[in-house]
Amino acid sequence: MKNALLIIDTQYDFCHPNGALFVPGAEQDVERMANLIRKYSDKIDHIVVTLDTHKLLDIAHPLFWHDDQGNHPQPFTRITYAEVEAGTWVPRFVAEKARQYVRDLEADGQFEHYIWPEHCLIGSRGAALHDTLLEALKDWSRQRELDYKAVQKGVHPLSEHFGIFQAQVPDPAVLETQLNTDLIADLERFDNVYLMGEAKSHCVANSLKQVMDFAPGFLPKIVVVNDCMSDVTGLGHLADPIYAAARERGVRFAESETLVIES
């Protein structure tokens, strides 16, 4: 039995109270992840960590937009396509692509466009793995003489990249926004893939949804570790239908304290 961990966006900005987009509960999630890695280090054969990675001029950051007075939106502002068309919010850059993105995102029906605090900026402390997780990963690597695999997502500034396998609105001309078939193939080699990370309401849930949409044969391998992920405050309801659908399709769910990983 071969086992892999898929650890999503367990970074300083999400997991430390001083982080730009701290997810309450994430510090405790990280402790449980680290404990799981150390407890089962000899039975974990592969670890993939994903890294949310953004530029300052990102479509979901305040600097990208302004109103008719030149003011930038505050974090957690919702920007609708109707507002963009009316000129309530104006993109400072590549205006036509930005308008199309907001329109396409709304048409998908899952998310509206929200502005986030500037987070996980390339090269910043906020983009780094949380120290507690990193130490556990290094211990595992030394014991198993294997490297963990790090996968960046979100670098393209004109589309959010909640799910790790594909941007929310892929651009046919931008490879990094398209379906990451190499990552899917890498994970499909294993009998069990234990899914955890931040945030439960967004990037973890959408990664699971993308497996359901694009690689349904992979679903029986997935075990969602419930107590190793937390919701963005007040937004957990966004993901409830995804987890309900996953249960109906046979995805397993577990708690880290009672989880048994077998080789």
Side-chain angles (χ1 to χ4, degrees):
M1 191 75 71
K2 295 293 184 181
N3 302 296
L5 302 189
L6 176 54
I7 302 176
I8 296 176
D9 298 359
T10 305
Q11 296 158 268
Y12 183 94
D13 268 348
F14 300 127
C15 299
H16 193 283
N18 294 332
L21 193 46
F22 176 57
V23 177
E27 273 198 310
Q28 292 73 35
D29 298 336
V30 175
E31 292 286 348
R32 287 187 281 267
M33 291 180 211
N35 291 340
L36 202 60
I37 292 169
R38 290 194 168 97
K39 181 177 180 180
Y40 290 110
S41 57
D42 61 332
K43 295 179 173 61
I44 296 169
D45 305 295
H46 187 48
I47 300 178
V48 176
V49 296
T50 69
L51 299 169
D52 200 38
T53 308
H54 296 293
K55 298 175 181 178
L56 192 65
L57 298 178
D58 184 282
I59 200 165
H61 284 165
L63 190 60
F64 194 95
W65 300 89
H66 66 89
D67 63 15
D68 59 3
Q69 302 297 313
N71 300 308
H72 300 297
Q74 292 297 309
F76 305 105
T77 298
R78 183 185 68 171
I79 293 180
T80 67
Y81 180 62
E83 289 173 328
V84 176
E85 284 295 281
T88 305
W89 293 112
V90 179
R92 288 186 178 272
F93 315 97
V94 289
E96 183 53 41
K97 284 194 172 184
R99 284 194 294 270
Q100 180 179 343
Y101 170 76
V102 176
R103 182 182 66 226
D104 291 348
L105 188 68
E106 287 186 9
D108 181 61
Q110 186 178 355
F111 284 110
E112 295 173 308
H113 187 50
Y114 276 85
I115 301 302
W116 301 108
E118 294 170 353
H119 66 284
C120 296
L121 299 178
I122 294 174
S124 72
R125 181 183 185 184
L129 290 170
H130 190 286
D131 286 343
T132 298
L133 176 64
L134 181 60
E135 290 305 312
L137 290 173
K138 291 193 293 186
D139 288 346
W140 173 82
S141 288
R142 293 183 182 112
Q143 179 176 334
R144 296 298 306 273
E145 298 185 343
L146 296 168
D147 260 325
Y148 61 90
K149 180 175 183 177
V151 178
Q152 283 188 322
K153 52 95 166 169
V155 177
H156 181 58
L158 297 180
S159 181
E160 296 221 60
H161 210 305
F162 293 127
I164 62 171
F165 298 105
Q166 179 176 280
Q168 292 305 116
V169 179
D171 185 333
V174 181
L175 181 62
E176 66 203 54
T177 70
Q178 298 165 26
L179 186 65
N180 191 338
T181 54
D182 288 344
L183 179 55
I184 292 172
D186 180 40
L187 293 167
E188 284 184 325
R189 298 180 295 128
F190 297 89
D191 300 294
N192 298 299
V193 177
Y194 296 90
L195 175 63
M196 61 198 79
E198 305 303 338
K200 178 182 180 182
S201 54
H202 285 73
C203 296
V204 180
N206 276 270
S207 300
L208 185 57
K209 183 178 185 297
Q210 289 176 347
V211 175
M212 289 192 281
D213 290 345
F214 304 122
F218 180 21
L219 288 174
K221 299 174 182 285
I222 295 177
V223 181
V224 177
V225 187
N226 278 316
D227 60 342
C228 289
M229 55 187 187
S230 297
D231 293 318
V232 175
T233 302
L235 295 178
H237 65 279
L238 294 174
D240 288 343
I242 295 173
Y243 292 110
R247 288 181 185 276
E248 290 179 359
R249 296 180 66 173
V251 171
R252 292 165 287 166
F253 288 73
E255 306 296 322
S256 64
E257 291 298 317
T258 57
L259 180 64
V260 176
I261 297 178
E262 298 179 348
S263 58

